[in-house]
Amino acid sequence: MKSKEYWDKRMSAVAKKQHKKADRYINRELRIEYLRARSSILRDIEVFYQRFAENNDISYSEAKKLLNGKQLEEFKMQVDEFISLAKDNPNGKWTKVLDNASYKVRISRLQALQIQIEHQIQMLGVKEEKQYTGLLSNTYTDTYYRTLYEVQKGTGIGVSFSPLEAKTVERIIKTPWLEENYSSRIWGNKKKLIRELKTELNQAIIRGDSLDKMSRALRKRMDVSYKAASRLVQTEASYIQNESTYHSYKDSGVVTRYQYLATLDSRTSQICRDMDNKVFKLSEKQVGVNFPPLHPHCRSTVVPYFDDEIDIGERIAREGKKVYYVPGDISYKEWYGNYAA
């Protein structure tokens, strides 16, 4: 049986591989989508000021004036375009809002701008949810197989298991934890951002802020939301990685206990430091209590704990499971082709 240092190293490597995927997504796709949404919003605000402002500022009374015939026609053409882009919005709620707007004959300048801004955030949420789903599905599947590989290679004992099905992975990643799942958390963040942007916009117009001052304020709100979205990605990815590890341990047939493994450095929380090296039964697992993540940004994971090494083979045999020998020098590619594909 391998040493604790061996398991710490191997399982930590599996976890870090998934954390890097989340970090890459945050710094690439997520950042790009936020920059695109922010640029579109600032462009709409610039057009708003160009049309209705005098001396680079606009009064609240001017903003509340109704769109004239030509302006209303242009706005409705834009709404029709929004409707075609909004087909994937959750529950079709945003489509209904846009449909109602397209039939109105009295819309103020401010209302039109608010709809333009909210549309950009709604589309940002749609893209986030689609990208999150792909990221979390990949994280779960990759962690599951790599963890089984490490356990089987490390113990030399392979127990037959069923390959993952897409619908199984989808069900697991969408299962709520701590009362919500990643989708509801994404849209909770977006609702908050929409509310804050509208408040910021109204207050800026009431104060008579210049275009530059309003743009800086809205840019700051978007940046705060991006950081919140980044934190959510890291936390959800950690949850899915550890949840997959747990299911892999169960399906391995040889792991009945896990040991908490904290990433010990200057960023490690005190709660994870206190949990480090503590041992629990798989049946005792409680996310947020004795199983990671314990907090946002949590990077801790769990490793197999063996206290009955001699009896593992006998125990599996008694359970009537199909067992096979796994050589210690087998590569992941070879193992996957033989046992998982």
Side-chain angles (χ1 to χ4, degrees), residues 16-182:
K16 286 180 179 178
K17 184 179 182 67
Q18 309 312 320
H19 293 325
K20 286 181 179 179
K21 289 179 187 176
D23 290 342
R24 280 198 300 269
Y25 166 69
I26 289 169
N27 294 322
R28 295 178 187 177
E29 290 91 341
L30 183 65
R31 182 169 182 78
I32 288 172
E33 294 302 338
Y34 261 85
L35 288 175
R36 284 175 177 168
R38 191 180 75 180
S39 296
S40 295
I41 290 172
L42 294 178
R43 206 161 42 239
D44 289 335
I45 292 173
E46 287 175 4
V47 172
F48 180 80
Y49 266 73
Q50 289 169 2
R51 280 190 168 188
F52 309 122
E54 293 183 10
N55 299 321
N56 200 33
D57 60 39
I58 185 169
S59 67
Y60 192 68
S61 60
E62 285 294 319
K64 294 291 287 183
K65 286 184 178 179
L66 297 178
L67 296 177
N68 62 34
K70 183 179 180 181
Q71 293 165 353
L72 183 61
E73 183 179 351
E74 291 176 355
F75 173 71
K76 288 189 174 184
M77 289 176 62
Q78 189 176 40
V79 168
D80 289 340
E81 182 182 348
F82 287 170
I83 291 173
S84 66
L85 295 172
K87 57 184 177 181
D88 294 327
N89 69 99
N91 304 319
K93 290 182 178 179
W94 180 236
T95 301
K96 292 179 183 178
V97 172
L98 293 173
D99 283 336
N100 291 335
S102 68
Y103 287 111
K104 287 184 177 180
V105 294
R106 293 168 60 85
I107 296 179
S108 72
R109 298 166 174 177
L110 181 57
Q111 287 174 322
L113 179 59
Q114 288 174 334
I115 288 174
Q116 291 172 324
I117 291 175
E118 183 168 355
H119 177 73
Q120 297 302 330
I121 305 306
Q122 290 283 347
M123 293 303 95
L124 174 61
V126 168
K127 291 174 183 176
E128 268 189 63
E129 182 168 20
K130 183 177 181 180
Q131 292 170 349
Y132 270 42
T133 301
L135 172 67
L136 297 181
S137 296
N138 178 274
T139 296
Y140 185 91
T141 303
D142 195 38
T143 300
Y144 181 83
Y145 287 127
R146 289 186 182 278
T147 301
L148 271 178
Y149 161 70
E150 294 294 351
V151 171
Q152 292 191 1
K153 185 182 74 166
T155 61
I157 299 172
V159 177
S160 57
F161 61 93
S162 300
L164 289 174
E165 295 183 355
K167 60 182 180 181
T168 301
V169 176
E170 181 181 11
R171 174 181 56 78
I172 291 172
I173 69 172
K174 290 186 176 181
T175 299
W177 64 285
L178 298 182
E179 300 181 354
E180 291 184 295
N181 65 12
Y182 72 95

Side-chain angles (χ1 to χ4, degrees), residues 318-330:
R318 285 198 302 270
E319 293 175 356
K321 295 180 179 179
K322 182 180 178 182
V323 179
Y324 46 87
Y325 169 72
V326 179
D329 59 351
I330 190 172

Side-chain angles (χ1 to χ4, degrees), residues 219-231:
R219 189 181 291 112
K220 184 177 180 180
R221 288 289 181 187
M222 290 293 290
D223 290 344
V224 170
S225 179
Y226 168 71
K227 291 178 181 177
S230 301
R231 181 172 63 250

